[in-house]
Amino acid sequence: MQTNNHQIKDYSAELDKKYGSIGTREREQFEEEAWDFYSGQILQNARREAKMTQAELAARTKTTKSYISKIENGVIIPSVGAFYRIISALGMRVEVVKPIY
């Protein structure tokens, strides 16, 4: 695993160099992929905390182990319905709230 040895002080500048400025196609694609991976990691952590295997989660959500793996690795994004089934199977819920200003 490559690390930066804490040499990077401005991550935005590094991302600008590698993927272009905010709003460019390359930067938007990078950020979308990063969010996909991050979302998958959240689900993976929740599954592990629930002490559930990918196969068990797949059975509970009527999907496949491969599908769960692809979600956890950020390869695919589940549909909204599949996402809610996964969340429910993990004993979690999604709450949409209106912010108070």
Side-chain angles (χ1 to χ4, degrees):
M1 178 175 162
Q2 183 180 1
T3 65
N4 67 22
N5 296 321
H6 304 287
Q7 300 299 313
I8 295 175
K9 301 293 184 209
D10 184 350
Y11 284 98
S12 291
E14 292 298 316
L15 292 173
D16 287 349
K17 280 194 277 186
K18 189 165 184 177
Y19 301 105
S21 300
I22 292 173
T24 62
R25 186 174 59 84
E26 293 82 6
R27 181 69 169 264
E28 295 293 327
Q29 182 177 352
F30 164 76
E31 289 178 353
E32 185 71 26
E33 290 172 3
W35 279 115
D36 294 349
F37 180 77
Y38 178 66
S39 300
Q41 292 300 291
I42 290 170
L43 291 175
Q44 181 183 66
N45 289 340
R47 177 184 57 78
R48 288 179 175 170
E49 283 181 21
K51 299 186 182 342
M52 195 179 304
T53 67
Q54 288 179 338
E56 290 169 331
L57 181 56
R60 290 182 183 195
T61 57
K62 298 182 181 8
T63 61
T64 65
K65 180 184 175 296
S66 173
Y67 181 71
I68 299 299
S69 176
K70 288 176 183 176
I71 291 169
E72 289 182 357
N73 289 298
V75 174
I76 61 172
I77 297 299
S79 68
V80 173
F83 176 77
Y84 277 97
R85 284 193 307 277
I86 291 167
I87 292 297
S88 178
L90 292 170
M92 302 171 75
R93 69 176 189 191
V94 173
E95 186 174 293
V96 179
V97 295
K98 192 173 188 177
I100 300 172
Y101 296 103

